[in-house]
Amino acid sequence: MTAGTPATAALDELGEWQAALRAQFPIVTGHPELAYLDSAATAQKPQAVLDAVHTYLTTSNANAGRGTYTWANRTTALMRETRGRIKRFLADPDPDRSGVHLTGGTTEALRTVARDWLTGFLADQDEIVVPFADHRANITPWLEARDLLARQGIRIHVRPMPYQPESGDYDPEALARSVTPRTRFVAATHVHHVYGGNMNVHRIRRAVGPDAVICLDAAQSVGHLPVSLAELDVDFLAFSGHKALALPGSGALWARNARGPRFAPGGWDGSPDTTGAVSLRAALDWLDAAGQDRVERWTLALAARLTDGLRRLPAYDVLGCRRSLAADSDVQRRQGIVTFRHRAVDSGDLGFVLFSHGFMVRSDGLCQGSAGEREHAVRVSLHVYNTPEEVDRLLAVLTTLQ
């Protein structure tokens, strides 16, 4: 990578900081021969998260909201404190009005919005905007809500989110032209799970106006970069704990409660995932202590190092914005996610070959919607425990495969 670029400077400046953090991931340090490059699917866990779960399970494990003894009271308080911790982590500007519902992850959270809120919010002939080139978790729930309302005789019009073909980013100007007075709800994504771009949600608000409800899939942003609800004028935000260094099966849905009726999950609240909540709170504490801005700078720099190398290999096509591949590009960088194809080798086969060299990557359809990529691809997704040396080793192997 070219010396003197912002990416090189960030890697040099943050090298000692990153080494200290990497040492806190037992699964990473325990397998030095392997490079885990699939953090967009699930992130590894620092020792602090593992310790927090172990301490809870061995000192005060109990159900929440169902007892008056000490352990139960502690667990009930823990769940309440975790909701407040999430609000602080997301820089909630109005925590007294907003709500947090703990879920099993982003998919469950978005389905909860669709089932328990959106179907009661929409009226006949209303319109919703759906991002058909994003993750299916941010597509299927809204179509399910439309179909449920159709069975009740309520017709909802689904408008596709427009994209810029050269970059995969949203096209806010085209969106603004398609908005009508009946546009009530917009589903959007913060960081794209294939192209790695920050989708600039503030432009979505300007495009759709002050009254439309925006629901944000933040699965690839929370835990990877600073997320501020004070800056994002959205009404719902969903994220997965397991992508943010917490345990699998944890996550949250934040609701602003400013547009439309107050959000309240339907049905009976069963026993909550208390260990998931413990791990999530510990993960957010760890990320704050590490410095979310530095985590983002590190993964941006690693992604720039990778795209800069890939652009020099004619056998590969990098998906997403082509103008941002060079390390010294002034175009928005990829947020730790780089997806590519070999022009002659099947992506699934390439994934197997890379694993034989010690690289764990994603290589399939990437759960993208109907308007997304039609061919499988290889996705490399990076986090704070990854190193420039791992990126360089990967590029060396990819070079031999030309």
Side-chain angles (χ1 to χ4, degrees):
M1 185 168 65
T2 305
T5 66
T8 302
L11 295 176
D12 290 342
E13 176 190 338
L14 298 174
E16 292 185 6
W17 164 85
Q18 188 272 342
L21 295 186
R22 177 182 168 89
Q24 298 177 41
F25 289 83
I27 196 171
V28 173
T29 57
H31 298 278
E33 76 284 3
L34 298 175
Y36 182 77
L37 305 175
D38 196 21
S39 294
T42 196
Q44 300 303 336
K45 323 305 176 193
Q47 189 65 52
V49 170
L50 304 177
D51 289 345
V53 172
H54 181 267
T55 298
Y56 167 72
L57 290 176
T58 56
T59 61
S60 57
N61 176 44
N63 211 332
R66 288 163 173 80
T68 57
Y69 52 92
T70 303
W71 291 359
N73 289 339
R74 288 179 186 168
T75 302
T76 300
L78 180 150
M79 301 300 288
R80 180 176 64 252
E81 292 163 3
T82 299
R83 295 185 181 93
R85 182 68 181 92
I86 291 169
K87 292 183 181 183
R88 294 193 303 275
F89 185 80
L90 298 176
D92 187 343
D94 193 2
D96 292 334
R97 175 162 63 175
S98 66
V100 170
H101 176 54
L102 297 177
T103 71
T106 303
T107 301
E108 180 186 333
L110 298 177
R111 273 213 164 98
T112 301
V113 175
R115 179 189 64 235
D116 296 338
W117 188 87
L118 185 61
T119 52
F121 175 66
L122 297 175
D124 190 56
Q125 303 302 318
D126 278 347
E127 301 173 358
I128 64 174
V129 178
V130 175
F132 284 101
D134 291 7
H135 196 283
R136 288 178 186 171
N138 203 16
I139 301 171
T140 304
W142 321 123
L143 302 183
E144 291 174 342
R146 175 203 61 185
D147 295 343
L148 177 61
L149 288 171
R151 291 193 289 271
Q152 302 173 15
I154 300 173
R155 184 181 180 187
I156 302 301
H157 300 281
V158 176
R159 307 298 186 201
M161 174 75 78
Y163 295 83
Q164 299 175 10
E166 70 279 3
S167 66
D169 294 340
Y170 295 145
D171 187 337
E173 294 181 0
L175 177 61
R177 292 192 296 269
S178 68
V179 167
T180 76
R182 299 307 298 264
T183 303
R184 305 292 305 284
F185 179 88
V186 179
T189 298
H190 199 184
V191 171
H192 200 278
H193 75 293
V194 175
Y195 306 125
N198 186 319
M199 304 300 277
N200 294 299
V201 181
H202 62 282
R203 298 177 185 171
I204 300 301
R205 170 56 67 195
R206 291 201 297 263
V208 302
D211 299 325
V213 170
I214 298 177
C215 180
L216 188 63
D217 175 350
Q220 300 298 348
S221 57
V222 172
H224 300 262
L225 65 150
V227 177
S228 172
L229 290 166
E231 299 173 3
L232 295 171
D233 190 3
V234 299
D235 301 276
F236 294 98
L237 183 146
F239 71 94
S240 299
H242 72 97
K243 299 179 191 290
L245 311 181
L247 291 185
S250 63
L253 171 67
W254 172 89
R256 185 181 294 276
N257 295 322
R259 298 177 179 91
R262 185 176 184 84
F263 171 79
W268 170 258
D269 284 336
S271 296
D273 180 4
T274 55
T275 53
V278 168
S279 75
L280 184 54
R281 188 173 67 170
L284 301 186
D285 288 344
W286 190 92
L287 286 162
D288 270 345
Q292 297 182 71
D293 56 337
R294 288 178 288 181
V295 172
E296 181 185 24
R297 286 183 63 203
W298 185 259
T299 55
L300 284 171
L302 288 180
R305 192 182 191 96
L306 179 55
T307 59
D308 191 72
L310 283 170
R311 74 186 178 94
R312 305 170 193 273
L313 304 179
Y316 299 91
D317 289 320
V318 182
L319 307 188
C321 180
R322 298 287 304 174
R323 296 185 296 114
S324 65
L325 298 182
D328 59 354
S329 171
D330 59 0
V331 179
Q332 177 183 259
R333 311 302 325 181
R334 286 166 172 79
Q335 297 281 345
I337 296 175
V338 179
T339 305
F340 57 91
R341 296 192 187 96
H342 193 292
R343 294 185 178 181
V345 180
D346 175 79
S347 293
D349 293 339
L350 182 56
F352 281 114
V353 172
L354 290 176
F355 180 65
S356 73
H357 289 274
F359 300 102
M360 292 177 279
V361 300
R362 179 84 177 265
S363 55
D364 56 23
L366 306 177
C367 300
Q368 202 169 3
S370 59
E373 302 291 333
R374 297 186 179 277
E375 298 180 29
H376 287 191
V378 172
R379 182 182 70 186
V380 171
S381 48
L382 305 147
H383 215 306
V384 70
Y385 36 74
N386 293 120
T387 65
E389 291 74 21
E390 289 175 334
V391 171
D392 292 344
R393 284 168 41 210
L394 174 64
L395 286 168
V397 172
L398 293 174
T399 299
T400 65
L401 297 176
Q402 289 205 96

